[in-house]
Amino acid sequence: MQVDLLAGTGYRPLALPRPQPTILVFDSGLGGLTVLSRTTQACPGAHIVYAADDAGFPYGRLTEEALVARILAVMERLIARCRPDLVVIACNTASTLVLPALRARFAIPFVGTVPAIKPAATATKSGMISVLATPGTVARVYTRELIETYAGGCDVTLVGATRLAGLAEQALKGEAVDDKALLAEIAPCFVEANGRRTDVVTLSCTHYPLLLERMKRLAPWPVEWIDPAPAIARRVVALLGPIGDAPCPDATAIFTSGAGLSGPLRIALAGYGLAHVAIEPMPLAN
């Protein structure tokens, strides 16, 4: 593989505790909250900033060139504002494309989010796994390379869900999400052939764990669902090294638009420990 998305290649953890490192968790929308939750649990002494580029959401509508340019521009602004010690790119669509450019531009460690194909291949008993992702992640060469490297002996079904991230955002904002719409998005993951059937599904978009309990209920049969968030949190701890346990200021959420900041969403953000919400206006250029 050319790039290890979960690693901060070239970075070593500090031997001495950092009294209060700042961790920036970045996503196009609200899916990164699933990573934020695990990171907060793993690093209780860190100052956490959650940044959502909601002005650019969804990233799947952008060309690869436009997406790289957008994320570099947004990250330039966020790093200047927040001065993080480490950045988590809590977005598969972005991670599979833009991490090399970010690491070339900024001299801080970046932890990406990779489709959990290797653990899925290890966990399957039937040899049939599904990768539930956005169309952008499904189309990436990196995803295909992961399959070739780690799941060559498996039957892998790639499912590019067009609406699932949006449905997750709706649910978190307190809006109704129809079971039929949700089932239509996940149904292609469940494949039966020659007496075997899918037994592992990777959640290869950080939005999807927001709907996990409903997906379990609607699934035609039980499967193992793999969420990469715990592995990401472990990597953050490994890169930062020991962290002091001094009290931290309340975590902050930053939005590049804020157009969808409803009352129910603010309540949901508070439930993730994001007591403060700020807007860093960055309209998406036409």
Side-chain angles (χ1 to χ4, degrees):
M1 304 299 296
Q2 296 298 311
V3 182
D4 181 358
L5 296 184
L6 274 173
T9 306
Y11 300 97
R12 296 181 179 179
L14 297 182
L16 297 175
R18 299 186 183 195
Q20 201 171 81
T22 295
I23 301 170
L24 175 64
V25 179
F26 174 83
D27 187 24
S28 59
L30 303 173
L33 292 172
T34 60
V35 176
L36 172 90
S37 180
R38 293 284 189 168
T39 303
T40 301
Q41 293 171 18
C43 306
H47 178 216
I48 306 289
V49 179
Y50 183 79
D53 183 20
D54 58 325
F57 180 83
Y59 278 166
R61 63 193 166 118
L62 303 179
T63 66
E64 292 190 355
E65 182 180 2
L67 180 56
V68 171
R70 172 66 182 180
I71 293 176
L72 286 175
V74 172
M75 197 56 61
E76 192 90 48
R77 183 89 65 88
L78 291 172
I79 287 175
R81 174 172 177 156
C82 305
R83 301 188 179 279
D85 296 281
L86 179 146
V87 178
V88 178
I89 304 298
C91 173
N92 284 265
T93 300
S95 294
T96 53
L97 181 65
V98 78
L99 276 174
L102 287 170
R103 288 173 176 154
R105 174 78 66 89
F106 304 104
I108 56 176
F110 286 83
V111 175
T113 308
V114 58
I117 292 167
K118 182 179 180 180
T122 300
T124 183
K125 295 180 174 59
S126 69
M128 298 179 69
I129 65 178
S130 290
V131 179
L132 182 60
T134 65
T137 298
V138 165
R140 297 282 184 265
V141 172
Y142 189 86
T143 301
R144 310 286 173 150
E145 290 179 344
L146 281 175
I147 293 170
E148 292 174 5
T149 303
Y150 297 116
C154 297
D155 293 327
V156 181
T157 299
L158 291 168
V159 180
T162 58
R163 298 182 58 202
L164 198 52
L167 293 175
E169 296 247 335
Q170 287 179 219
L172 193 62
K173 293 174 182 177
E175 301 171 11
V177 174
D178 183 67
D179 277 353
K180 290 183 179 179
L182 184 51
L183 179 57
E185 293 293 297
I186 68 171
C189 294
F190 295 85
V191 180
E192 293 184 274
N194 302 318
R196 298 181 299 140
R197 62 187 187 181
T198 304
D199 64 350
V200 180
V201 176
T202 75
L203 300 173
S204 297
C205 171
T206 53
H207 281 76
Y208 299 168
L210 294 170
L211 295 168
L212 180 55
E213 293 308 312
R214 290 186 64 179
M215 290 192 289
K216 286 180 178 179
R217 175 171 58 81
L218 294 171
W221 59 77
V223 296
E224 181 175 350
W225 303 83
I226 297 183
D227 176 2
I232 296 168
R234 289 193 295 271
R235 187 59 183 159
V236 170
V237 172
L239 287 174
L240 286 179
I243 297 174
D245 56 2
C248 290
D250 290 332
T252 300
I254 300 175
F255 291 82
T256 57
S257 167
L261 279 170
S262 62
L265 177 55
R266 288 179 180 273
I267 292 171
L269 291 172
Y272 282 92
L274 298 168
H276 302 295
V277 177
I279 309 298
E280 183 76 22
M282 288 196 69
L284 186 65
N286 294 324

